[in-house]
Amino acid sequence: MARVIVDVMPKPEILDPQGKAVHGALPRLGFTAVTDVRQGKRFELEVPHVDDESLAEVHRIAETLLSNPVIEDFTVRVDA
Amino acid sequence: MARVIVDVMPKPEILDPQGKAVHGALPRLGFTAVTDVRQGKRFELEVPHVDDESLAEVHRIAETLLSNPVIEDFTVRVDA
């Protein structure tokens, strides 16, 4: 059994209201070291074994179900 | 400027309805390679420089604002 990670983040040119809300809350909580925050999603997918076929399927899942390609970018990687 | 990644995932013993919904949708879409899905959040925090102090602050932010320690685990890492 192996784990494949799909990270989905808003594209850089897309407004990210969730990240902005977190960023706006930081100074009110006394945190000053962070200059920007972006929020996305992380998916952990279990597959019986990692090969070209299962990775291609995870890629199609990421493209069609886990992300909205109009406003989000995704990356697929095998968990170390 | 450096980027610090905070990944927040539901604890293993906690039900994850979002992940279950994704997992349940996969066979209906013709995907058969994935045996489990868990969904969490990914935050990208920009800091002017990475040092013990800024990492400690990101750790406190993750603990108090980005995650609910009762039901979620988080990891902090500097983006390669």
Side-chain angles (χ1 to χ4, degrees):
Chain A
M1 198 64 76
R3 179 172 290 168
V4 182
I5 309 292
V6 179
D7 286 322
V8 178
M9 295 299 296
K11 283 180 191 285
E13 67 271 24
I14 297 285
L15 281 177
D16 170 16
Q18 291 180 302
K20 286 284 161 290
V22 171
H23 188 210
L26 292 176
R28 297 198 298 273
L29 295 167
F31 298 117
T32 55
V34 172
T35 57
D36 195 27
V37 179
R38 293 185 76 77
Q39 178 172 350
K41 291 174 284 185
R42 173 189 163 101
F43 298 91
E44 296 180 353
L45 282 68
E46 303 282 339
V47 295
H49 32 255
V50 173
D51 53 23
D52 286 355
E53 202 182 331
S54 65
L55 283 180
E57 182 164 320
V58 169
H59 200 94
R60 288 196 303 276
I61 291 169
E63 220 168 12
T64 56
L65 184 62
L66 306 183
S67 75
N68 176 350
V70 177
I71 59 168
E72 292 169 325
D73 291 323
F74 67 88
T75 61
V76 174
R77 70 177 192 282
V78 178
D79 197 17
Chain B
M1 198 62 75
R3 178 173 293 167
V4 182
I5 310 292
V6 179
D7 287 322
V8 178
M9 296 299 295
K11 284 181 191 284
E13 67 273 22
I14 297 285
L15 282 175
D16 169 18
Q18 291 180 301
K20 286 285 161 289
V22 171
H23 187 210
L26 292 176
R28 298 197 297 273
L29 295 167
F31 297 118
T32 57
V34 173
T35 57
D36 195 26
V37 179
R38 291 186 76 78
Q39 177 171 349
K41 293 175 282 184
R42 175 189 161 100
F43 297 90
E44 294 180 354
L45 282 69
E46 304 282 340
V47 294
H49 32 255
V50 173
D51 52 24
D52 286 353
E53 201 182 334
S54 65
L55 283 181
E57 181 163 323
V58 169
H59 199 94
R60 288 196 302 277
I61 292 170
E63 221 168 12
T64 56
L65 184 61
L66 306 183
S67 76
N68 176 350
V70 177
I71 58 168
E72 291 169 326
D73 291 322
F74 67 87
T75 60
V76 174
R77 69 177 193 279
V78 178
D79 198 17

